[in-house]
Amino acid sequence: ESEDITFIGPDMHAIQAMGDKIESKLLAKKAKVNTIPGYDGVVKDADEAVRIAREIGYPVMIKASAGGGGKGMRIAWDDEETREGFRFSSQEAASSFGDDRLLIEKFIDNPRHIEIQVLADKHGNALWLNERECSIQRRNQKVIEEAPSTFLDPETRSAMGEQAVALAKAVKYSSAGTVEFLVDSKKNFYFLEMNTRLQVEHPVTECITSLDLVQEMIRVAKGYPLRHKQNDIPINGWAVECRVYAEDPYKSFGLPSIGRLSQYKEPLHVPSVRVDSGVQQGSEISIYYDPMISKLITYGPNRAEALQRMEEALDNYVIRGVAHNIALLREVITHPRFVQGDISTKFLPEVYPDGFKGRF
């Protein structure tokens, strides 16, 4: 900003406010957004952590204020686990983010992770572009996402959308952003955090709304007002995204694998498939970057067809030279529980309590 360079994305104020989990929760409360019961200040030491955890009621989630990617997070079911969690989380937060501040909140049992895509301009206009269901996760990181969610009814969707927009307006947000919520079995939803950027799973929203989010971000950065109204935003069809990782799915549902892609062929001949990737045959997957190979997206007029195309796309994907998680992705999208939409963030450990062994 000081050099008169326009950043394609929100301004510094919004990034700072939303990048800090403690500050963002306080702002969300002020904007009348539902938040998870918890303690919003910085937790000083293990004794204070135990006192706060007892007040909130077990189980609690201890997490790094500056955290992301599932780092610096621990669930505690009693005093002892709280002390231990406080120690581990602050160490991990300090080494991962250079910031050891922690917060404690109620742990929502069996939740779904559902997020709302928002788009706002520099003229005070903001829209919500429906939701994405991101409940299939391992180590608090997403693996499979879809839009829309099988779980939301129109009332809940619009209540979540309106709260997401209220939060965006409260921080004078401009550009594309995502407001993440945890949703319990009774459809109560709680603000988790806001991502002040384009997310990995944005293609599924593009598929069902026919909006090009990157183009909209560039237009907003240039100063143009949004060209859509809330009533113009449709839900057309269904889209699913699988994150294809260079990971061994037989170890903790995916531990990173490194090596050279000796063979690499994307399933682009399958109809209604989109692949966003940054690799090609001969590329090296190293320890220095995220192990994601690509995002594989399929689209259909309904969920059954989108999933059928995903199955076909996964079957036609050729990756040799590194371990990859396609066997796990294929297993999940064809699993009866997933097909019925009976999912939560605990899906993987519940369905595969002894870890994923593959199927012959």
Side-chain angles (χ1 to χ4, degrees):
E1 278 173 21
S2 59
E3 293 295 333
D4 276 341
I5 295 169
T6 303
F7 177 63
I8 300 175
D11 66 10
M12 194 177 80
H13 160 71
I15 295 174
Q16 275 176 337
M18 291 293 118
D20 185 315
K21 286 191 168 81
I22 293 173
E23 193 182 338
S24 65
K25 245 185 115 168
L26 294 171
L27 281 161
K29 269 188 179 159
K30 226 189 225 160
K32 305 218 176 351
V33 176
N34 305 349
T35 53
I36 298 172
Y39 177 74
D40 298 319
V42 179
V43 185
K44 285 200 288 287
D45 52 33
D47 289 340
E48 190 182 32
V50 168
R51 185 180 57 72
I52 292 164
R54 285 178 182 166
E55 273 171 27
I56 298 168
Y58 287 109
V60 296
M61 171 77 93
I62 300 164
K63 56 185 183 182
S65 176
K71 289 191 169 70
M73 291 164 89
R74 291 285 186 288
I75 297 158
W77 294 82
D78 56 38
D79 292 359
E80 194 184 336
E81 286 184 6
T82 301
R83 287 181 193 285
E84 201 175 295
F86 179 85
R87 196 173 78 245
F88 282 126
S89 289
S90 46
Q91 284 168 1
E92 194 172 9
S95 65
S96 297
F97 313 112
D99 180 346
D100 64 357
R101 292 173 307 142
L102 300 178
L103 70 156
I104 297 182
E105 60 192 22
K106 179 86 179 154
F107 176 62
I108 310 290
D109 219 11
N110 244 12
R112 285 171 176 258
H113 185 133
I114 300 177
E115 58 193 30
I116 301 280
Q117 174 73 59
V118 293
L119 186 61
D121 64 20
K122 294 176 176 175
H123 307 277
N125 305 307
L127 301 169
W128 48 274
L129 311 180
N130 306 313
E131 79 280 3
R132 293 187 287 258
E133 168 84 65
C134 307
S135 296
I136 305 294
Q137 306 184 352
R138 47 112 186 81
R139 296 189 298 282
N140 298 307
Q141 281 182 311
K142 303 163 190 169
V143 184
I144 296 173
E145 301 101 353
E146 60 183 311
S149 163
T150 55
F151 189 60
L152 293 195
D153 49 50
E155 294 74 41
T156 313
R157 173 178 295 120
S158 105
M160 289 172 77
E162 280 157 21
Q163 288 200 11
V165 161
L167 182 62
K169 287 183 168 174
V171 286
K172 297 189 172 54
Y173 196 88
S174 70
S175 195
T178 302
V179 181
E180 303 198 345
F181 292 96
L182 284 184
V183 185
D184 71 14
S185 55
K186 311 262 187 307
K187 292 196 172 82
N188 298 310
F189 57 90
Y190 304 99
F191 168 73
L192 195 58
E193 62 179 333
M194 182 173 191
N195 278 305
T196 55
R197 54 182 165 81
L198 192 67
Q199 277 192 288
V200 172
E201 56 274 23
H202 79 274
V204 291
T205 297
E206 295 190 331
C207 288
I208 65 161
T209 59
S210 305
L211 280 180
D212 182 332
L213 287 177
V214 176
Q215 185 186 19
E216 297 302 326
M217 288 175 77
I218 296 169
R219 282 178 52 87
V220 165
K222 189 82 177 85
Y224 293 117
L226 294 182
R227 41 185 173 175
H228 302 89
K229 297 271 177 284
Q230 192 61 58
N231 309 344
D232 305 338
I233 306 299
I235 296 186
N236 282 333
W238 211 283
V240 181
E241 174 178 297
C242 282
R243 299 187 180 196
V244 178
Y245 281 106
E247 285 184 339
D248 182 348
Y250 307 106
K251 294 179 182 158
S252 308
F253 302 113
L255 289 182
S257 161
I258 56 171
R260 191 174 293 284
L261 292 169
S262 55
Q263 250 187 309
Y264 183 72
K265 240 197 194 124
E266 296 174 347
L268 293 167
H269 58 286
V270 179
S272 301
V273 163
R274 166 176 167 176
V275 184
D276 289 9
S277 63
V279 296
Q280 57 195 36
Q281 197 155 298
S283 289
E284 174 117 22
I285 307 283
S286 76
I287 58 169
Y288 301 108
Y289 301 98
D290 190 278
M292 194 187 298
I293 293 173
S294 74
K295 310 183 301 189
L296 177 64
I297 302 101
T298 57
Y299 175 75
N302 52 49
R303 188 169 186 259
E305 284 196 42
L307 288 176
Q308 197 184 334
R309 284 172 186 168
M310 181 57 80
E311 199 180 331
E312 199 185 333
L314 289 167
D315 285 346
N316 281 278
Y317 213 133
V318 181
I319 301 173
R320 301 270 185 281
V322 293
H324 56 76
N325 67 335
I326 282 177
L328 174 66
L329 296 169
R330 196 187 185 289
E331 231 352 75
V332 172
I333 63 150
T334 56
H335 193 281
R337 257 188 69 178
F338 182 84
V339 173
Q340 286 156 16
D342 172 18
I343 58 177
S344 77
T345 53
K346 296 215 288 248
F347 180 89
L348 288 175
E350 276 176 7
V351 173
Y352 310 104
D354 306 323
F356 175 63
K357 303 277 190 272
R359 189 206 291 176
F360 295 95

